[in-house]
Amino acid sequence: MKVEEAAKQLEALGNPTRLELYRVLVRAGHGGLPVNQVQERLGIPASTLSHHLQRLVHNGLVSQERQATTLICRAEYPAMTALLGFLADECCADEACLPSDRAA
């Protein structure tokens, strides 16, 4: 993952509503949730939800699939794994990691 892509995804998740939205979808699992259920869980207006969903979709963190008249939203787990990996892959690369009880 490139720094620019990671920065855009982190920026998208930097909004409290989008972060909460993303966490709802991550918790939902691979089946995702219909948009109306997401709206109910978050208690936000449809227009607000649409705006925040589009930011997450645009940055590759969420996908949407239409099933008849229902729009299903899903967290993109490979994107999440890549972002988490980007953040953690080089942990302590320049020094040996200390066990947590010895840190600080």
Side-chain angles (χ1 to χ4, degrees):
M1 173 176 279
K2 295 183 179 182
V3 171
E4 294 81 13
E5 182 181 4
K8 288 178 183 179
Q9 289 180 343
L10 289 168
E11 181 181 5
L13 293 172
N15 174 281
T17 302
R18 280 193 292 276
L19 183 56
E20 189 176 0
L21 165 58
Y22 189 65
R23 292 186 72 203
V24 164
L25 294 175
V26 167
R27 286 185 60 152
H30 294 283
L33 285 174
V35 74
N36 66 322
Q37 287 184 24
V38 174
Q39 183 182 4
E40 287 173 11
R41 291 183 188 197
L42 294 175
I44 60 176
S47 60
T48 301
L49 177 59
S50 178
H51 164 76
H52 289 300
L53 273 171
Q54 287 311 310
R55 283 287 302 272
L56 295 174
V57 168
H58 177 75
N59 285 291
L61 294 166
V62 169
S63 64
Q64 295 178 316
E65 176 188 2
R66 182 149 308 273
Q67 294 179 355
T69 60
T70 304
L71 185 61
I72 305 295
C73 301
R74 294 183 180 92
E76 283 294 319
Y77 293 100
M80 180 180 74
T81 301
L83 181 58
L84 293 172
F86 174 82
L87 294 172
D89 279 348
E90 295 186 29
C91 175
C92 305
D94 294 337
E95 99 180 341
C97 289
L98 297 174
S100 60
D101 63 336
R102 292 181 54 199

